[in-house]
Amino acid sequence: MAREQVGSLGEVNTAATHIDATTQQNAAMVEQTAAAAHNLTSEAVNLVKVVGHFTLPGQGNVLAASGGGRSRPALASPAARLQSAPRQLVSSGADGWSDF
């Protein structure tokens, strides 16, 4: 009987150790995910700034840079975009984009 209890306690100890290791791995993944999300947010802000240099003919900037409470124009629904004539992006000429 005592040997069975010792064996059972060993199994419980092994399971608790495994749960602890898994919890630590999950915590590390959460930290990595939070850091990646923060980095992605920064990259998205930079992308909006870069894309803001492009214009559609007759419509001004495609996107306004975020910040300062400025809003950006609503983008057409996919169905509306399919029905309209294709448009080509035109560079505003800033930052040497006109070469492309």
Side-chain angles (χ1 to χ4, degrees):
M1 177 93 172
R3 289 182 188 189
E4 290 176 13
Q5 289 178 346
V6 168
S8 295
L9 286 174
E11 290 176 15
V12 169
N13 187 37
T14 300
T17 301
H18 180 70
I19 290 171
D20 182 53
T22 303
T23 301
Q24 289 179 13
Q25 288 175 348
N26 286 343
M29 284 190 292
V30 167
E31 286 182 29
Q32 291 172 349
T33 302
H38 179 70
N39 188 32
L40 185 58
T41 300
S42 297
E43 292 298 323
V45 168
N46 289 335
L47 182 59
V48 167
K49 289 177 184 176
V50 169
V51 170
H53 290 275
F54 292 95
T55 58
L56 291 173
Q59 292 200 0
N61 284 355
V62 175
L63 295 173
S66 64
R70 289 182 274 168
S71 62
R72 63 179 184 221
L75 299 176
S77 69
R81 282 185 267 149
L82 288 174
Q83 293 172 356
S84 66
R87 297 182 199 161
Q88 198 167 19
L89 286 175
V90 177
S91 173
S92 64
D95 298 331
W97 285 102
S98 60
D99 296 338
F100 296 100

